[in-house]
Amino acid sequence: MRYAIISDIHANLEAFLAVLSEIDKCGTDGILCLGDIVGYGASPNECVEIMRERQIFTLSGNHDKAACGLTEPVDFNSTARRAVLWTREKLTPESREFLRGLPEEAEYDDFMIVHGAPSDPDRYILSEYDAEEEFPLLGDLILCFFGHTHVRVLYSLSGEMVQVSEDERVKLLDGTRYLVNPGSVGQPRDGDPRAAFLIYDQNGEVEFRRVEYPIEIAQRKIIESGLDRILAERLSLGY
Ligand code: ZN
């Protein structure tokens, strides 16, 4: 099986559409989303609608949970909190129901998917040290895909040693386990403003992909909707 793994769309319709059209060209067997469909961007209902129509399997992220009222955005910074409250106002009842029904993690034959980390969906894996604590929770699985940080990265563990790779294509080795973040579709924070996703081929390869999208349109919608300006500006910086 070949899966497209996407994460952190954050109501950026333009980025989402660009990624989906690239995925359609690659020919995959399925798309899995690691959560945060909404929050920050100006098109929450449109993004949820696509998830429903295309029946894309998706987890819930911390922004989704706060936007649909399952949690309160207490540990969010002020910009993120305002965006969550704005999104709450905009969500249709159908979108809200959809977000309320999403699972927090899922397991497939040889891998699992989570929003933040295997130990806690809200935890950020930001370093080899964070990754080291999470590897034991993979059990017999060889791989875990996570999002939440908006930074593309691959950690591997063979023996005792956690390593980081920034290669675009990684061949998976027997006896090695992996924690992999595809980066963010709708608000990349690794210095590259292009939308990020990855292709996982169960024959043993992970390929990171980037795709250009019309950033100015997403930015204009954010500004016109009254969301904080910084949310528009950061899209062209990729940070
Ligand atoms: Zn996010």
Side-chain angles (χ1 to χ4, degrees):
M1 292 276 277
R2 265 162 67 81
Y3 292 97
I5 313 282
I6 61 176
S7 191
D8 295 280
I9 295 159
H10 284 292
N12 185 335
L13 177 66
E14 290 68 32
F16 192 19
L17 290 175
V19 162
L20 288 175
S21 106
E22 196 67 19
I23 290 171
D24 290 342
K25 280 187 235 159
C26 306
T28 59
D29 301 301
I31 305 176
L32 304 176
C33 174
L34 312 180
D36 276 1
I37 303 157
V38 304
Y40 296 137
S43 308
N45 290 308
E46 292 86 338
C47 291
V48 170
E49 196 52 40
I50 292 173
M51 288 288 175
R52 295 172 62 203
E53 265 172 21
R54 292 195 50 154
Q55 298 184 319
I56 295 172
F57 182 84
T58 181
L59 302 176
S60 68
N62 51 321
H63 286 257
D64 303 319
K65 286 185 285 186
C68 71
L70 284 177
T71 59
E72 288 306 315
V74 279
D75 51 359
F76 284 46
N77 66 44
S78 58
T79 294
R81 191 178 319 116
R82 276 195 292 276
V84 160
L85 299 178
W86 179 93
T87 305
R88 270 189 191 176
E89 292 292 308
K90 297 287 166 187
L91 285 180
T92 63
E94 294 76 26
S95 297
R96 195 175 307 117
E97 268 323 291
F98 178 84
L99 294 176
R100 290 182 82 97
L102 298 178
E104 291 203 307
E105 59 173 66
E107 213 175 291
Y108 293 79
D109 11 60
D110 60 350
F111 69 98
M112 70 189 293
I113 57 175
V114 297
H115 181 62
S119 65
D120 177 350
D122 291 344
R123 184 183 187 209
Y124 292 93
I125 300 178
L126 293 163
S127 66
E128 293 97 308
Y129 306 103
D130 295 337
E132 201 173 355
E133 294 174 20
E134 299 293 334
F135 272 113
L137 302 172
L138 266 60
D140 293 335
L141 306 172
I142 60 161
L143 196 62
C144 171
F145 294 103
F146 69 97
H148 198 34
T149 64
H150 301 205
V151 174
R152 172 208 125 161
V153 71
L154 179 142
Y155 298 106
S156 61
L157 175 72
S158 75
E160 305 266 285
M161 188 63 170
V162 178
Q163 285 180 307
V164 189
S165 166
E166 296 191 351
D167 294 347
E168 267 167 38
R169 240 173 220 272
V170 178
K171 287 249 179 273
L172 305 181
L173 304 171
D174 285 342
T176 302
R177 292 191 291 168
Y178 300 87
L179 278 163
V180 186
N181 188 324
S184 166
V185 170
Q187 195 197 74
R189 295 180 193 163
D190 49 12
D192 182 343
R194 294 176 300 166
F197 69 101
L198 68 77
I199 304 286
Y200 169 46
D201 188 324
Q202 284 187 303
N203 287 327
E205 189 178 81
V206 168
E207 186 190 351
F208 293 97
R209 304 284 296 260
R210 299 305 276 237
V211 51
E212 309 253 3
Y213 73 94
I215 292 179
E216 343 59 71
I217 300 180
Q219 289 176 312
R220 198 176 59 231
K221 286 187 187 168
I222 286 172
I223 290 165
E224 285 173 359
S225 68
L227 286 156
D228 286 9
R229 238 191 135 77
I230 181 74
L231 295 173
E233 288 161 0
R234 69 188 304 173
L235 293 182
S236 40
L237 303 172
Y239 195 70

